[in-house]
Amino acid sequence: GGGGGGGGGGDATETEQLLEINLRPPLYNTEYHCDSIIAGTSRGREAETGGLISKWRPKERLKTTAVALVVCLNIGVDPPDIVKVSPCARLECWIDPLSMQPQKALEAIGKSLQAQYERWQPRAKYRVSLDPTLEDVKKLCVSYRRTAKSERVLFHYNGHGVPKPTLNGEMWVFNKSYTQYIPLSVYDLQTWLSKPSIYVLDCPNAAMLMNAYQNFALQRYQESAGMPVMVHHPPGSKAPPASAELRSAMQDVILLGACGINETLPQNASLPADLFTSCLTTPIKIALRWFCGRSLLRNEGLNLEMIDRIPGKQTDRKTLLGELNWIFTAITDTIAWNVLPRPLFQKLFRQDLLVASLFRNFLLAERIMRAFGCMPLSCPSLPPTHQHPMWHAWDLAAETCLAQLPGLLSGDPSIEYYPSSFFTEQLTAFE
């Protein structure tokens, strides 16, 4: 009898746990939350070997192991098809290219760009190609694909010193003597870099290159499958319509572009010239500078020069800079979790550290660049997030931290940093 009673008690507990699931608010009632509760029951323990837990862990983890940074600036010579305003955005990787001799400036910018990426992925292999020829880019891409084997390669293109990309899907590099711009087709890049790969395109008309990439990828897929080739001409004019073939053709490829077709990059002198790259690789710095320009704290003695002197380390949560970084990461992750379909969230935010960081920071790029009439794009595409209510939480946390900055930098040893109440407030909100 006693044994039977014990069994009944176990069933009752399990029933109570399942009942608890049904009483939870809808947000906690989705499949993955229920799995973790059921995993605690006897049924769960049996199922665990079948992989309830592994459902949440991605089976294949890709790493970005090689990063090619191609920088086409040709400092001192403006491209013929870009009309620059005066004063104009100048900073590249937070360096003024006109503040030193052109070759020195170019090398400093390349070094700085590499350091900005290394913060997100210190273990990758890096190579910077400055004002390269077509042959330089080919060698770099082919050797990096060989090195990376089946891991991901990142290709970053800064095209601020060359003409805009073309409808045929060409970006521009230089000839050996810098007397001509030479077209580099996205089709060739695909051949050299293959897959898996991620492209960061910081140039005007970035969407033309993204459209062309998808059309070329689909064309290759259709040719290899013996299907009739159905793609847009010219390839940069329009992305192919969504289809199973396109999904297969673009598997393991990620594209991030600074702006849409016929869009030029913001030239506002208060912004860096490489605003897209700044958002992707130095998000806290650009987010705070942009915030400072819109905040009433300007009247309280806060200025841009102070933002460059925020005390602390990004990796140390007990410091002002570290805490801001932590809050920013939590907020961007939350926005992504809220708006993305689960499989896409898993793929972009939970598999590769560098890709996850770039996509979190891409949400910031969308917010800031849209304010200047520019529309950053990604493939796979994300729903718009620039007006997500969680951005208000970031603005509030940033304001609370920055309000302490003039005091902290005043040199008065009695002034201490008060940690933000952001996480406590978020937890209280659950109650």
Side-chain angles (χ1 to χ4, degrees), residues 257-318:
C259 58
I261 284 191
N262 298 328
E263 283 184 4
T264 51
L265 302 174
Q267 293 191 21
N268 187 312
S270 68
L271 303 169
D274 63 346
L275 179 58
F276 188 54
T277 299
S278 300
C279 290
L280 294 182
T281 58
T282 56
I284 304 300
K285 184 166 182 168
I286 188 66
L288 293 180
R289 287 172 80 94
W290 183 60
F291 177 79
C292 183
R294 297 157 58 242
S295 167
L296 293 174
L297 289 175
R298 278 177 315 178
N299 309 330
E300 308 289 322
L302 183 71
N303 59 46
L304 292 180
E305 184 260 339
M306 286 179 177
I307 284 173
D308 293 338
R309 291 166 51 215
I310 290 179
K313 285 205 307 230
Q314 294 217 356
T315 47
D316 183 358
R317 277 178 66 186
K318 293 191 174 71

Side-chain angles (χ1 to χ4, degrees), residues 182-243:
I182 305 293
L184 158 58
S185 172
V186 166
Y187 189 88
D188 290 335
L189 266 185
Q190 265 177 12
T191 309
W192 305 332
L193 273 179
S194 190
K195 299 194 276 193
S197 51
I198 173 168
Y199 294 78
V200 175
L201 306 168
D202 190 343
C203 56
N205 281 3
M208 279 188 192
L209 297 176
M210 295 171 72
N211 292 345
Y213 191 101
Q214 293 174 78
N215 279 308
F216 290 144
L218 184 58
Q219 177 186 330
R220 285 174 195 269
Y221 179 83
Q222 290 168 342
E223 285 168 352
S224 67
M227 300 161 71
V229 172
M230 309 267 289
V231 293
H232 290 295
H233 287 288
S237 61
K238 202 174 175 187
S243 67

Side-chain angles (χ1 to χ4, degrees), residues 41-58:
T41 67
S42 54
R43 190 154 54 89
R45 278 187 287 281
E46 288 154 26
E48 215 161 86
T49 49
L52 272 177
I53 286 175
S54 71
K55 230 180 177 182
W56 239 150
R57 284 192 192 130

Side-chain angles (χ1 to χ4, degrees), residues 17-203:
Q17 281 170 320
L18 291 172
L19 187 62
E20 187 202 337
I21 295 171
N22 293 329
L23 295 175
R24 285 173 168 248
L27 176 64
Y28 299 103
N29 210 4
T30 40
E31 190 187 341
Y32 33 88
H33 286 293
C34 302
D35 283 350
S36 57
I37 297 167
I38 295 169
T41 67
S42 54
R43 190 154 54 89
R45 278 187 287 281
E46 288 154 26
E48 215 161 86
T49 49
L52 272 177
I53 286 175
S54 71
K55 230 180 177 182
W56 239 150
R57 284 192 192 130
K59 288 174 194 63
E60 301 151 36
R61 292 191 81 125
L62 269 177
K63 281 202 298 285
T64 302
T65 55
V67 178
L69 305 169
V70 174
V71 179
C72 298
L73 287 178
N74 199 14
I75 294 165
V77 181
D78 284 342
D81 58 351
I82 302 275
V83 179
K84 294 220 169 151
V85 298
S86 180
C88 175
R90 283 221 303 252
L91 301 183
E92 299 277 356
C93 297
W94 303 104
I95 292 168
D96 182 348
L98 303 182
S99 64
M100 54 187 104
Q101 186 258 337
Q103 191 53 34
K104 270 199 169 134
L106 185 63
E107 284 163 15
I109 289 163
K111 220 173 178 173
S112 183
L113 180 62
Q114 178 172 332
Q116 286 174 198
Y117 268 105
E118 278 175 337
R119 218 205 123 244
W120 306 103
Q121 176 50 293
R123 291 201 182 91
K125 197 174 168 189
Y126 287 84
R127 194 169 318 154
V128 185
S129 192
L130 302 170
D131 286 355
T133 63
L134 192 64
E135 198 49 40
D136 294 336
V137 178
K138 180 180 180 178
K139 268 193 200 144
L140 174 60
C141 293
V142 170
S143 77
Y144 261 21
R145 174 42 68 205
R146 204 180 300 126
T147 309
K149 298 188 171 72
S150 59
E151 298 283 17
R152 187 181 276 120
V153 177
L154 183 143
F155 180 88
H156 175 104
Y157 176 70
N158 172 327
H160 300 170
V162 288
K164 298 173 189 173
T166 70
L167 277 168
N168 290 328
E170 296 153 329
M171 54 183 77
W172 297 91
V173 289
F174 302 95
N175 67 348
K176 271 203 166 73
S177 54
Y178 297 102
T179 53
Q180 279 178 305
Y181 300 110
I182 305 293
L184 158 58
S185 172
V186 166
Y187 189 88
D188 290 335
L189 266 185
Q190 265 177 12
T191 309
W192 305 332
L193 273 179
S194 190
K195 299 194 276 193
S197 51
I198 173 168
Y199 294 78
V200 175
L201 306 168
D202 190 343
C203 56

Side-chain angles (χ1 to χ4, degrees), residues 390-412:
M390 279 303 286
W391 283 120
H392 297 312
W394 163 252
D395 290 341
L396 181 62
E399 187 150 65
T400 311
C401 291
L402 288 180
Q404 301 181 52
L405 195 52
L408 290 169
L409 294 175
S410 67
D412 182 343

Side-chain angles (χ1 to χ4, degrees), residues 152 190 197-201 206-207 209-215 217-218 239-243 246-259 276 340 344 347-348 355 359 362 375-383:
R152 187 181 276 120
Q190 265 177 12
S197 51
I198 173 168
Y199 294 78
V200 175
L201 306 168
L209 297 176
M210 295 171 72
N211 292 345
Y213 191 101
Q214 293 174 78
N215 279 308
L218 184 58
S243 67
L246 182 63
R247 267 196 304 282
S248 301
M250 289 297 290
Q251 198 170 5
D252 291 332
V253 176
I254 294 169
L255 308 174
L256 295 172
C259 58
F276 188 54
L340 294 189
L344 189 57
K347 179 184 169 182
L348 300 180
V355 169
F359 266 93
F362 177 81
M375 181 86 162
L377 299 165
S378 71
C379 178
S381 63
L382 309 184

